[in-house]
């Protein structure tokens, strides 16, 4: 049986070995980590059809380095706006300091995506590509579509969702032009808990439920009476008897 291709745990090569985390076999993870061919793995993990790989089916399963268009640019990092990963040389020089390298610089696109966006696939710009245009380029806030989060507990317009949802057959099922459309489709109500990453605060905002709350009654409350209180009598007391 032909083995599937996947990144190694360090996201430094593609391989068809059986050495990978067991939870990658979970149905929700298979489409993210496994590929039918080496070419698909390289494209998904490194953003190129050629990449370093280890073929366990080869007579000698040693890493084979595929040629790259600019081999000196093997370091990936997020851009200044932290909305893409890129291998450009445009980053602060202090990131090269030993105490900063592990925080800002990564050996592969996949490793950068995992560290910065929490997913092995993310928006990126490959300066080594013939045209260094963004791949899966980030959209402006006004263009971002809403979708349920992975736990389907709210609607959000973040980039944090399974890459499988980008498939043409699934896009209409998971993505919506407005927050209201997402709430209607996912929660059957025009308002729902949501997160709008385009707002200054990115904390989830809980919208009111779709069910009307009981309104307070408009009847008058019992006002205090305005009548005079009883005043003490001024009648003289009985004087002492002789």
């Amino acid at each position: 049986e032909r083995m599937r291709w996947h990144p190694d745990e360090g996201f430094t090569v593609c391989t068809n070995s059986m050495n990978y985390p067991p939870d990658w076999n979970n149905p929700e993870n298979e489409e993210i980590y496994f590929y039918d061919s080496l070419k698909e793995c390289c494209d998904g993990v490194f953003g190129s059809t050629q990449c370093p790989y280890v073929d366990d089916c080869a007579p000698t399963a040693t890493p084979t380095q595929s040629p790259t268009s600019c081999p000196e640019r093997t370091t990936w990092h997020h851009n200044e706006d932290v909305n893409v990963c890129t291998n450009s040389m445009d980053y602060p020089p202090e990131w090269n300091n030993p105490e900063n390298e592990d925080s800002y610089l990564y050996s592969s696109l996949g490793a950068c995506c995992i560290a910065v966006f929490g997913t092995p696939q993310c928006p990126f710009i490959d300066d080594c590509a013939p045209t260094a245009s963004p791949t899966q380029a980030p959209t402006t806030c006004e263009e971002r579509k809403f979708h349920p989060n992975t736990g389907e507990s709210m609607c959000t317009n973040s980039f944090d969702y399974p890459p499988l949802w980008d498939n043409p057959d699934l896009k209409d099922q998971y993505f919506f032009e407005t927050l209201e459309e997402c709430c209607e489709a996912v929660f059957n109500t025009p308002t729902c808990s949501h997160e709008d990453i385009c707002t200054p605060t990115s904390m989830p905002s809980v919208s009111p439920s779709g069910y009307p709350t009981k309104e307070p009654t408009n009847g008058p409350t019992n006002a205090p009476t305005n009548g005079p209180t009883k005043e003490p009598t001024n009648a003289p007391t009985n004087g002492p008897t002789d």
Side-chain angles (χ1 to χ4, degrees), residues 88-193:
S88 76
M89 302 299 291
D90 184 19
Y91 60 85
E94 57 267 23
W95 288 8
N96 286 316
N97 295 346
E99 65 270 21
N100 293 330
E101 280 186 323
D102 291 342
S103 300
Y104 294 102
L105 305 178
Y106 308 93
S107 60
S108 69
L109 170 60
C112 179
C113 289
I114 283 286
V116 179
F117 298 95
T119 173
Q121 295 177 329
C122 67
F124 66 91
I125 298 177
D126 185 358
D127 269 17
C128 299
T131 56
S133 56
T135 301
Q136 193 186 336
T139 58
T140 63
C141 276
E142 292 74 15
E143 295 172 332
R144 291 192 182 187
K145 295 187 177 182
F146 281 86
H147 57 85
N149 64 342
T150 52
E152 293 196 357
S153 59
M154 65 178 180
C155 283
T156 177
N157 56 358
S158 75
F159 277 128
D160 185 15
Y161 58 83
L164 180 65
W165 291 6
D166 280 322
N167 291 352
D169 294 339
L170 297 177
K171 273 190 172 183
D172 290 342
Q173 181 178 345
Y174 289 101
F175 294 99
F176 307 92
E177 295 292 338
T178 65
L179 170 62
E180 289 75 14
E181 291 178 6
C182 180
C183 290
E184 284 281 5
V186 179
F187 300 100
N188 295 317
T189 176
T191 57
C192 63
S193 297

Side-chain angles (χ1 to χ4, degrees), residues 4 25 48 64 87 92 101 110 137 175 194 198-199 201 217 230:
R4 296 174 298 176
N25 283 318
S48 171
T64 303
N87 56 358
E101 280 186 323
F175 294 99
H194 65 275
C198 298
T199 58
T201 57
T217 58
K230 291 182 179 180

Side-chain angles (χ1 to χ4, degrees), residues 5-6 12-16 38 41-42 46 50-56 58 60-67:
W5 290 85
H6 57 85
T12 58
V13 298
C14 279
T15 179
N16 55 2
L38 170 60
C41 180
C42 288
F46 296 94
Q50 295 179 323
C51 67
Y53 66 92
V54 176
D55 186 354
D56 271 16
T60 56
T62 54
T64 303
Q65 176 69 52
S66 298

Side-chain angles (χ1 to χ4, degrees), residues 57-79:
C57 299
T60 56
T62 54
T64 303
Q65 176 69 52
S66 298
T68 58
S69 57
C70 52
E72 72 277 8
R73 295 194 185 178
T74 57
T75 300
W76 290 79
H77 55 87
H78 62 72
N79 65 341

